[in-house]
Amino acid sequence: MTQRPFTLITAVSLVGLAVLLGVLQSLLAAAAPARALAGDGHGPGYLSSDGWWLGAYHFDDGALGFCLNPGKVAPVGLQYSYADPAGMGWWTPEQSAVFAYIARTWAGSGDRLTAGAGQLATWMYAGMSDVDAQNHAGRAGADTDAVYARALQMLAEAKGRGSTGVRAATVVELAETGPGRVRVELAVDRLAGPELLPAGAHPVQVRLEGATFSDGTASKSVSSGTDVAIASTGTDPSVSVSATATASDLPYGNRVTVALPAVDAQAVLIAKPSTASAGASVDVAGPSPLPFQPRVETQTTAPESHPGAEIADRLTVAVQEGEGLLPTWGVRSTTDGFAPVPAVVESTLLGPFADPIVEAEQAPAGAPTVCTVETAVDGVGEYTTPSCVIPSDGYYVWTDRIDPARTDPEQGGERLRPWTSRFGVASEITRAETTVVPAATTPAAVPPTIELAETGSHVTVPAVVSGGAAAAGVALIGLSRVSSRRDGATRRMRRMRGRRAALESIHMDVDGVERPARPPRIVGRRLTGPRRARSTWVGP
């Protein structure tokens, strides 16, 4: 290839860069891989009428690149090896970002205007002055102005959109109900500032633990920045889901590949796709989104009772298992972790019914109601409702229900399934009956028996007589008895005297001859009966 001497200004402006790149060449040559490659010609670009080249160079492995050292020998026909200049210290991360952006964006282009402008932009960023850049743009002939203008645009773009790296952020959201979602965001650390890439910018491989995608798999390639539905697989009240995302071969960052010559010649900035990658993991815990179905077994506190008594309903709260249901009581998120989902059991005492109650799916229309009470429950266990007073005789029965609308959605009400008891369950029935008390019978009063002194007679005094009246009555009865006896004795004496007078007027001797009566001599007497007296005669 024909060479044209550089101007003094160009040589001075690039001498510093040449020295720097020479150091880079010597450092990277030692670390170069064993495989050798050769620059075998030109790529897209312009060859001036006087033999100067402006554009990309081609290597025997198919790679294309832009020269970094204007003024040195061109790559054609020379031996090269690839090297990674990262960490060598002769470019700052920001400078590496600009070169990397130029290399992966334009060095591999098949358009000659793009290739010519890219080569010019590379030299300009390496230190070529604007005057020299315009002179070198003249190699494009009729496209000189277009190439120069495009080079300026490229350089400005590379300085702003060049990046030092790319980051990933994985987001997992567990919904209160239904499926959750996973999303992977990619952000580029550009020289002009961080940029959140739009949805669908790149594919990302996501692996889940504790959840699956809608197709049942736990690993899937998804588009960055888009929500993808997931379903947790745990059956505990709270679930944990992990998501690991990896995005590879991303066109960002400041990694650069250069081809270093085996002799003193131009190093070449190789157009290689970037191998930048980003990854992120996240662990999320939350309430299980599965709904849960309460089940309540109930029993009245008094199967037999009476009007005016208080009865209540004993509740045994459990959870119904089934397809798509959480087998345990659900929880909700709180500032301290998790808490049970609250629920309200409404218990209604129906009655009275005159006839025994027959079990049915629901209560008959217009069934009489005694009261409705509420019991707050927050999990499986035993509860007792407030009590109700039975108003009258008859049959009574409790009915119970859980209405999810009584629980706020933010407290898990949307995951609470409704429940209603059957009507007339035997354990819920109470029979109330008034207790019949027999009429009280007053026993006949038995008068006390009082034995009188001297006679041994018994006198009965009504028990209702007070103490003083009784004593007075007893005294009167005693006096009456004494008076009666005296009167009887008097009458007996009178009869005896009459008989004696008769005997004295008529006296008959033992021989049958009547003799004058002579008063008997009474030497003693004893009254042995009410009407008899015995006399003893003494002498004639």
Side-chain angles (χ1 to χ4, degrees):
M1 171 174 24
T2 305
Q3 300 287 337
R4 185 174 66 182
F6 286 100
T7 65
L8 179 61
I9 297 176
T10 302
V12 172
S13 64
L14 295 180
V15 65
L17 180 62
V19 172
L20 181 62
L21 292 178
V23 174
L24 173 66
Q25 177 177 340
S26 61
L27 291 174
L28 296 182
R35 182 191 183 282
L37 70 154
D40 59 358
H42 298 149
Y46 297 91
L47 182 63
S48 67
S49 58
D50 54 359
W52 292 97
W53 177 251
L54 180 64
Y57 285 89
H58 188 272
F59 290 86
D60 60 359
D61 64 350
L64 293 172
F66 296 142
C67 286
L68 288 168
N69 314 104
K72 286 194 173 184
V73 177
V76 179
L78 300 180
Q79 296 296 310
Y80 279 81
S81 60
Y82 291 131
D84 184 356
M88 301 303 295
W90 51 276
W91 281 340
T92 66
E94 291 74 19
Q95 289 173 329
S96 296
V98 173
F99 282 123
Y101 188 87
I102 293 174
R104 64 174 170 260
T105 306
W106 300 298
S109 174
D111 176 65
R112 69 173 188 165
L113 192 150
T114 300
Q119 175 62 83
L120 189 61
T122 302
W123 280 333
M124 292 174 70
Y125 192 69
M128 179 181 286
S129 68
D130 288 343
V131 174
D132 286 341
Q134 292 177 9
N135 292 332
H136 282 71
R139 299 177 181 180
D143 291 336
T144 296
D145 293 339
V147 167
Y148 180 72
R150 182 72 178 114
L152 293 178
Q153 293 175 354
M154 289 179 174
L155 189 57
E157 181 179 337
K159 288 180 178 180
R161 297 187 61 79
S163 58
T164 56
V166 58
R167 294 173 287 111
T170 304
V171 179
V172 171
E173 296 180 358
L174 301 178
E176 284 288 331
T177 59
R181 61 178 181 173
V182 61
R183 183 178 68 257
V184 181
E185 299 284 5
L186 293 178
V188 179
D189 295 322
R190 300 201 183 274
L191 298 178
E195 176 192 2
L196 182 65
L197 296 180
H202 300 284
V204 182
Q205 190 70 29
V206 178
R207 179 173 53 84
L208 300 174
E209 292 184 8
T212 60
F213 293 100
S214 57
D215 60 0
T217 62
S219 183
K220 190 174 184 178
S221 178
V222 302
S223 296
S224 64
T226 60
D227 291 329
V228 181
I230 61 173
S232 61
T233 57
T235 57
D236 292 331
S238 62
V239 296
S240 296
V241 175
S242 299
T244 301
T246 303
S248 304
D249 299 328
L250 300 177
Y252 310 106
N254 55 6
R255 295 186 61 180
V256 179
T257 299
V258 296
L260 296 179
V263 296
D264 188 16
Q266 295 207 43
V268 180
L269 185 65
I270 299 298
K272 272 198 168 183
S274 175
T275 57
S277 61
S281 298
V282 66
D283 299 319
V284 176
S288 172
L290 294 176
F292 64 99
Q293 175 65 72
R295 185 184 74 250
V296 184
E297 295 181 359
T298 59
Q299 182 176 9
T300 181
T301 56
E304 300 287 340
S305 190
H306 57 82
E310 292 186 355
I311 63 172
D313 199 14
R314 294 192 181 97
L315 311 176
T316 301
V317 181
V319 175
Q320 179 71 45
E321 296 187 15
E323 183 69 25
L325 294 176
L326 186 67
T328 57
W329 192 273
V331 297
R332 56 190 172 89
S333 296
T334 65
T335 55
D336 299 327
F338 300 103
V341 174
V344 176
V345 179
E346 297 178 6
S347 302
T348 300
L349 182 61
L350 301 176
F353 297 94
D355 299 322
I357 297 173
V358 178
E359 185 173 345
E361 186 65 29
Q362 59 186 8
T369 300
V370 177
C371 67
T372 297
V373 295
E374 296 181 352
T375 306
V377 300
D378 58 1
V380 299
E382 304 289 333
Y383 302 85
T384 300
T385 70
S387 59
C388 294
V389 177
I390 297 176
S392 59
D393 289 351
Y395 293 90
Y396 297 83
V397 64
W398 287 100
T399 60
D400 305 88
R401 74 184 189 119
I402 295 177
D403 183 5
R406 298 293 305 275
T407 300
D408 192 282
E410 294 183 357
Q411 293 185 318
E414 293 183 350
R415 290 181 285 124
L416 180 63
R417 291 281 182 87
W419 174 85
T420 303
S421 66
R422 289 177 59 83
F423 170 79
V425 177
S427 62
E428 294 278 24
I429 298 174
T430 295
R431 181 182 181 184
E433 186 175 16
T434 301
T435 303
V436 178
V437 180
T441 302
T442 304
V446 180
T449 300
I450 302 175
E451 185 174 346
L452 298 178
E454 299 181 355
T455 65
S457 300
H458 294 79
V459 179
T460 301
V461 181
V464 296
V465 180
S466 63
V474 172
L476 291 174
I477 293 172
L479 290 175
S480 176
R481 291 289 181 89
V482 172
S483 176
S484 177
R485 286 187 176 188
R486 287 179 180 177
D487 291 342
T490 301
R491 287 192 297 268
R492 286 193 297 272
M493 288 294 293
R494 287 176 181 174
R495 286 193 300 269
M496 186 175 63
R497 287 172 183 168
R499 292 173 182 171
R500 186 171 60 197
L503 288 174
E504 288 178 352
S505 62
I506 302 175
H507 179 72
M508 299 185 75
D509 200 359
V510 293
D511 54 4
V513 179
E514 182 178 342
R515 293 182 177 88
R518 187 172 51 183
R521 181 182 176 186
I522 301 175
V523 296
R525 67 182 179 181
R526 185 177 64 174
L527 297 178
T528 60
R531 297 182 180 271
R532 300 180 62 183
R534 178 179 296 179
S535 298
T536 301
W537 297 89
V538 179

